[in-house]
Amino acid sequence: MNTLDVTKGVTLVDVRYLGSPGYIAPCILQDASGIAVVDPGPTSSLAGLEAGLAERGLSTADIHTLLLTHIHLDHAGATGTLVKRHPKMRVFVHERGARHMIDPAKLLASAQRLYGEHMNYLWGEFLAVPAENVTAMAGGETITVGGRKLEVIYTPGHAVHHVTYFDQVDGIAFTGDTTGLRPLNVPCPMPVTPPPDIDLEAWRTSLAAIRARRPEKIYLTHFGPNADVEWHIAELSERLEKWAEQVGSDVKSNRPEGEASADFAKTQQAILTERIPASAFGPMIRTEMLVSSWLGLARYWKKGQ
Ligand SMILES: [Zn+2]
């Protein structure tokens, strides 16, 4: 089964990213005219999304709206491909991400630097989205979609163009990567801090904004719903601060980047292994991801120097 029925009318699809369950979960919100999808995922796992929809008697033709938390490839990669297939599809995205969906050249060039020859295998194609399909938001809007009213909360920190969608009536928040990762939904919240726009101060403010709404449940793109919101955010914040402190001291002491980032990845994997068996480490908690988290935090500290 690729779909998991969860509460409050939200259906989760496990797209089985790179064949691994428990890593990328678009959320399906159904209404009378079709469905809205929060973060469709990359094109490399579009077949997984289609399979999940098919199990519900749905197809991508039923999608009238894509709600992007942010434009990173693991969240928004399939957007252009879906819009090309179904040209009436609407795409909601923060205004600072909108231009990159319309012209992804710069986004793809920076991803290419990070992922090199693995780009296509990891993410698949990333097509431009026609400007007329895009609704750019600043945060503060309320949109009615998927049979519910969603408050758009601007939640930068992980990315400068990150938003969270909050349904006050049901007390649920779609938080993207602002509340970090919990792959396989194990109780081990961890941040993900890739370049280029990690911002600790902004991130703290964003987490406070989410907590202030007192959501009963947060839906993480990686992975799924969590009802232990206070605990989750506290754990995540603590780990984020520790990571930042570690990388900050590496940067201050001018440790060679390769050496410091490899050490960081090794230490973090050892900590994770206490909670998750190393054999369960899938595509989202590989060494490369932790190295890229070191680089993202290092960039943050260097900007402030
Ligand atoms: Zn992500």
Side-chain angles (χ1 to χ4, degrees):
M1 281 289 275
N2 279 359
T3 60
L4 308 166
D5 265 325
V6 286
T7 53
K8 314 248 190 200
V10 180
T11 304
L12 208 86
V13 175
D14 184 343
V15 300
R16 296 184 158 265
Y17 176 61
L18 302 180
S20 297
Y23 287 94
I24 297 184
C27 287
I28 311 296
L29 312 176
Q30 207 154 356
D31 60 29
S33 54
I35 53 178
V37 176
V38 183
D39 287 351
T43 308
S44 56
S45 58
L46 188 52
L49 176 62
E50 290 173 306
L53 291 173
E55 283 171 20
R56 308 282 303 169
L58 298 164
S59 77
T60 57
D62 294 302
I63 306 174
H64 51 61
T65 305
L66 295 175
L67 300 169
L68 304 179
T69 61
H70 63 302
I71 65 170
H72 290 168
L73 277 58
D74 54 328
H75 296 251
T79 304
T81 306
L82 286 165
V83 172
K84 189 179 173 196
R85 270 194 216 170
H86 312 293
K88 286 188 180 151
M89 206 178 278
R90 290 181 305 164
V91 177
F92 286 84
V93 62
H94 187 264
E95 58 191 7
R96 294 189 68 170
R99 62 175 178 270
H100 300 292
M101 295 306 294
I102 295 162
D103 176 8
K106 222 175 128 189
L107 172 72
L108 294 178
S110 92
Q112 183 73 47
R113 281 195 293 278
L114 219 58
Y115 303 110
E117 56 178 322
H118 305 297
M119 266 292 273
N120 195 52
Y121 166 72
L122 291 172
W123 314 116
E125 70 177 3
F126 190 110
L127 299 182
V129 179
E132 59 267 28
N133 292 75
V134 175
T135 303
M137 306 171 296
E141 297 86 351
T142 299
I143 54 180
T144 302
V145 70
R148 55 188 80 222
K149 273 194 168 54
L150 296 171
E151 177 193 359
V152 180
I153 313 169
Y154 180 44
T155 52
H158 168 82
V160 74
H161 58 271
H162 199 300
V163 296
T164 287
Y165 299 95
F166 177 58
D167 176 342
Q168 191 181 8
V169 173
D170 283 342
I172 56 181
F174 301 96
T175 52
D177 286 350
T178 301
T179 51
L181 312 183
R182 205 157 142 175
L184 310 163
N185 210 3
V186 290
C188 183
M190 58 186 279
V192 56
T193 59
D197 41 39
I198 297 305
D199 181 337
L200 273 187
E201 288 78 15
W203 204 328
R204 290 181 194 121
T205 306
S206 296
L207 288 171
I210 292 169
R211 286 185 60 212
R213 265 81 177 173
R214 302 194 170 279
E216 285 170 37
K217 255 182 195 163
I218 49 175
Y219 283 77
L220 279 58
T221 308
H222 324 291
F223 180 94
N226 291 296
D228 48 4
V229 180
E230 283 291 324
W231 177 83
H232 176 100
I233 293 179
E235 281 274 306
L236 170 78
S237 305
E238 198 186 313
R239 190 160 281 142
L240 177 61
E241 299 296 339
K242 275 190 193 150
W243 282 21
E245 208 178 295
Q246 173 65 52
V247 176
S249 89
D250 289 342
V251 168
K252 221 185 253 167
S253 60
N254 279 321
R255 277 190 78 194
E257 193 171 285
E259 178 195 301
S261 60
D263 263 5
F264 174 81
K266 215 166 134 190
T267 312
Q268 295 312 321
Q269 282 204 326
I271 294 169
L272 285 170
T273 324
E274 291 168 16
R275 308 265 192 108
I276 312 169
S279 59
F281 280 15
M284 306 299 294
I285 35 182
R286 294 164 317 175
T287 308
E288 299 92 303
M289 195 205 84
L290 289 160
V291 167
S292 123
S293 279
W294 187 94
L295 293 170
L297 284 165
R299 189 180 157 108
Y300 161 78
W301 289 117
K302 284 176 190 162
K303 262 192 222 166
Q305 273 177 353

